[in-house]
Amino acid sequence: MANLTLLYAKAALTGFARRGSELPDASLDAEVVVDPGHLARYNRVCGFGVRDELPVTYPHVLAFPLQVRLMTGPGFPFPLPGLVHVANRITRTRPLLVGEPLSLHVELADLRPHERGRQFDVVTTASVDGEEVWVDVSTYLRRGGGSPSGERAGGDRATAPEPTAVWRVPADAGRRYADVSGDRNPIHLHALTARAFGFRRAIAHGMWSKARCVAAFEGRLPDAVEVDVRFRAPVELPGRVGFSTTPTGDGRRFALWSDRPHLEGVISG
């Protein structure tokens, strides 16, 4: 796997030179075996219990170094700093177990207009013995030069839903998740480094927020499941957020709110 520290340094040094209107035709593959110690640390940080089954969000951190390699590789048109993770959809056809070797494949797809700029997908698949069992689609926004005909960001709901739980998110949540995910973007690590990028305080990782929500459904997800979220606004650290969930025809809706929406998602199966 790639050294993420070196890749972030590369992103900082080469970002100013990145230009273009197309995504490169590039993909990366890797064979991975889950480290039970790393999985246990991930579970503690995100609120999962100890089980033989991988959390549905866990393969994302296994594939993250490949994703960063593509977004810092030749021909990628945008600087990595400043990309906004706006959505993530994970589809699982069956539970994945700790002892199963995973074949990961990552590619870039679907550069398209957005009302605030341009967005694209990073698509990751995980296969076991040649069978595709898990697909992750992360959507990123590059702000600037938006198109009125592009996809809209979506409006905020007028009132917060009634919370079913209230979570206190500690000041070190970003650093703890960075330790297990490898995502050491400065906006997540400390208030001082976050301010350099325009944030008042450090902010939680979007994928931590998603994982923490999924952990609230642990043991109740169907074997074949899709978890689709939109990241609305960052959770500032430390913070206090309300978690809410309501049933739908084939699953659940869920959300994180404080004085504004942070995340809205749907579980279906």
Side-chain angles (χ1 to χ4, degrees), residues 44-240:
R44 285 195 297 271
V45 169
C46 298
F48 294 99
V50 178
R51 308 177 71 196
D52 289 335
E53 180 181 314
L54 303 184
V56 69
T57 50
Y58 179 69
H60 180 92
V61 302
L62 298 179
F64 185 70
L66 298 177
Q67 297 172 1
V68 175
R69 277 180 60 191
L70 282 182
M71 291 189 285
T72 55
F76 186 72
F78 309 125
L80 187 61
L83 290 179
V84 182
H85 195 183
V86 295
N88 176 268
R89 183 178 72 252
I90 295 175
T91 305
R92 182 185 73 182
T93 60
R94 66 160 178 83
L96 306 180
L97 302 178
V98 173
E100 293 183 307
L102 301 177
S103 299
L104 301 178
H105 176 82
V106 181
E107 61 186 26
L108 306 170
D110 196 16
L111 180 61
R112 57 200 185 273
H114 185 278
E115 68 170 356
R116 296 179 182 172
R118 287 180 289 174
Q119 63 181 357
F120 64 94
D121 298 328
V122 181
V123 182
T124 303
T125 61
S127 301
V128 177
D129 295 330
E131 175 194 7
E132 185 178 283
V133 291
W134 183 91
V135 180
D136 173 295
V137 180
S138 282
T139 301
Y140 289 88
L141 171 66
R142 169 62 175 172
R143 290 194 179 106
S147 169
S149 62
E151 183 176 322
R152 297 185 61 81
D156 294 341
R157 286 151 59 179
T159 57
E162 187 68 25
T164 55
V166 175
W167 300 333
R168 294 187 181 277
V169 188
D172 66 349
R175 294 189 291 275
R176 293 176 63 215
Y177 186 80
D179 285 342
V180 297
S181 69
D183 185 352
R184 297 183 180 279
N185 188 320
I187 62 177
H188 303 303
L189 303 181
H190 195 278
L192 290 177
T193 54
R195 286 184 196 128
F197 292 88
F199 296 95
R200 296 186 304 169
R201 291 182 282 172
I203 62 174
H205 296 72
M207 287 304 295
W208 175 86
S209 300
K210 178 173 182 175
R212 183 64 186 87
C213 290
V214 173
F217 300 100
E218 189 170 28
R220 294 181 288 152
L221 295 180
D223 287 351
V225 66
E226 180 174 279
V227 186
D228 191 4
V229 304
R230 298 292 181 270
F231 303 115
R232 299 302 189 190
V235 176
E236 293 186 332
L237 303 175
R240 183 173 180 272

